[in-house]
Amino acid sequence: MLRSKKTLLMLALVAAVCLMAQPALADRLADAIAEAKPTGEPGYMGIPGGPQLNIIIGFLWAIWVGWIFSTVGAFGGIMAGVGHITIYGLGDYASSFGKGSKMNKVVTDSIRVSNQWLVGCSAALSSFNYYKAGRLVLPLGIALAIGSVAGSWLVPWLTAGKISLKAYLGYFGLFVLFLGCYLFYQTTPKGQAGKQAAKKAAEAFQKSVKEQQHGGGTVDMAEMGVKVQKFTPTICEFTFFGVEFKFNPLIPVVGGFCIAALASFLGVGGGFLLVPFLTSVAGLPMYLVAGTSALAVLIGMVNSIASYMLLKQTPVAWGLIGAELVGIVIGSIVGPKTSKFIPDKVLKYIFIVLAVYVGLRYTTKGFLGYSIVPPF
């Protein structure tokens, strides 16, 4: 009963925020329409002559986005961006208005915040599941969140309404290209050598689980999962399956700010940057990194979305967002169930190829004005 009342209260608060935001959202879009004077049948966000988006395509693409994020804890925001920019044609539509027009920048901001709605939903589901499994380091996630709050509010405030589609494509492409190069580095002997400590810890956890299961019992994650031993402004110590870890909370606060700022600017979750950051801060195994990363992504996305939509009056296509969120839920559920059948190396090489292709395409299109690789 208490849980139901809390749920109703949260829904009421969200509804109130949305109602208060609607006039402001309409004002910014209305100003852009008045300047551009587009004609034709209403399309994307009700813009005359705007793209007619297929909700079914949005739903199916979102399943793919949710599957990727729930499988590796990253790449979801990038694929969401590919969907909104290329699959739905919003990139070409925004650029058709010219670099300095209000409509160009409104649609560009709409793409950025729409990406974050999808990543935020997937991160919320992942955070909840990992917390229940005892695989989320809450103090570390909170430290990252403190930094991410500032970063994810500052960037929309500084850049919303000022970034053209061309500039956004260039920076987005560079980020994705860097992602591809980093993933490739991880497959090299040198990249693998840097993760030996985390691998040994993960093996110890797996051995402990197997010993309990073979003994006829079940693993008590409440007992064996993350247990905080000490938490101060300068040191946090915790155990996971009897193995001790520690870190300085001040470091992830700074890291959370930088990662959230970049993620907010690009309209991605930042999971790719959080994963190596978490493994280097406390030497965490992937068993703990995925859940803690998801929590940090969730906090950053909530703040960034609020900043774009409430502080800078950025509109979105609610019909499309609704269909995509349903797809995200499905993909986030299916991902963990199917990824175990795909070899780790195969997954990595698939993502490397995708990252290099997408990175080259958007980097050259943004900075050169044309793409050096063929379209999808």
Side-chain angles (χ1 to χ4, degrees), residues 200-340:
K200 289 180 180 179
E203 289 171 0
F205 306 150
Q206 288 178 323
K207 183 179 179 181
S208 179
V209 172
K210 288 179 180 179
E211 286 176 352
Q212 291 195 43
Q213 289 177 332
H214 291 162
T218 58
V219 179
D220 185 358
M221 289 305 299
E223 181 63 29
M224 300 297 290
V226 174
K227 282 189 167 297
V228 178
Q229 305 297 320
K230 180 180 180 181
F231 184 51
T232 70
T234 57
I235 186 69
C236 177
E237 297 177 356
F238 65 93
T239 61
F240 182 67
F241 277 73
V243 178
E244 293 185 354
F245 296 90
K246 62 181 178 179
F247 65 93
N248 184 337
L250 296 178
I251 297 176
V253 168
V254 176
F257 171 82
C258 297
I259 293 171
L262 178 59
S264 182
F265 176 79
L266 296 171
V268 298
F272 159 67
L273 295 174
L274 283 166
V275 170
F277 180 80
L278 289 172
T279 55
S280 64
V281 168
L284 301 185
M286 288 302 296
Y287 284 108
L288 296 179
V289 169
T292 307
S293 171
L295 176 62
V297 168
L298 172 61
I299 300 299
M301 291 301 91
V302 169
N303 279 280
S304 186
I305 289 169
S307 184
Y308 274 115
M309 300 191 70
L310 301 181
L311 186 63
K312 287 298 183 177
Q313 309 170 3
T314 301
V316 295
W318 287 112
L320 177 63
I321 293 293
E324 289 178 326
L325 291 181
V326 174
I328 283 289
V329 172
I330 295 174
S332 298
I333 294 173
V334 173
K337 297 181 182 296
T338 59
S339 60
K340 60 185 178 182

Side-chain angles (χ1 to χ4, degrees), residues 12-178:
L13 289 173
V14 171
V17 171
C18 290
L19 288 173
M20 289 187 293
Q22 285 308 308
L25 300 182
D27 288 345
R28 184 180 177 193
L29 181 59
D31 289 345
I33 292 174
E35 179 193 72
K37 296 183 175 59
T39 58
E41 184 179 349
Y44 180 64
M45 295 193 296
I47 302 172
Q52 300 294 327
L53 304 184
N54 189 318
I55 299 298
I56 301 300
I57 293 177
F59 167 72
L60 294 175
W61 188 264
I63 293 177
W64 162 244
V65 174
W67 183 86
I68 281 186
F69 187 85
S70 63
T71 300
V72 297
F75 218 80
I78 293 170
M79 283 293 102
V82 171
H84 292 128
I85 294 169
T86 301
I87 303 299
Y88 310 144
L90 298 181
D92 288 340
Y93 178 67
S95 61
S96 69
F97 288 97
K99 183 178 179 180
S101 74
K102 291 182 179 179
M103 186 66 76
N104 181 303
K105 294 169 183 177
V106 166
V107 176
T108 299
D109 288 345
S110 181
I111 291 172
R112 292 202 279 177
V113 76
S114 295
N115 296 346
Q116 294 181 338
W117 269 100
L118 305 194
V119 179
C121 178
S122 189
L125 292 170
S126 298
S127 298
F128 178 73
N129 291 331
Y130 282 116
Y131 180 76
K132 286 202 311 179
R135 290 167 53 188
L136 192 158
V137 186
L138 195 57
L140 183 52
I142 291 173
L144 287 166
I146 291 173
S148 71
V149 168
S152 55
W153 272 91
L154 180 63
V155 169
W157 180 67
L158 291 175
T159 67
K162 300 177 182 178
I163 303 298
S164 68
L165 192 281
K166 185 176 180 181
Y168 172 64
L169 286 182
Y171 291 120
F172 183 86
L174 278 178
F175 174 79
V176 178
L177 193 58
F178 175 71

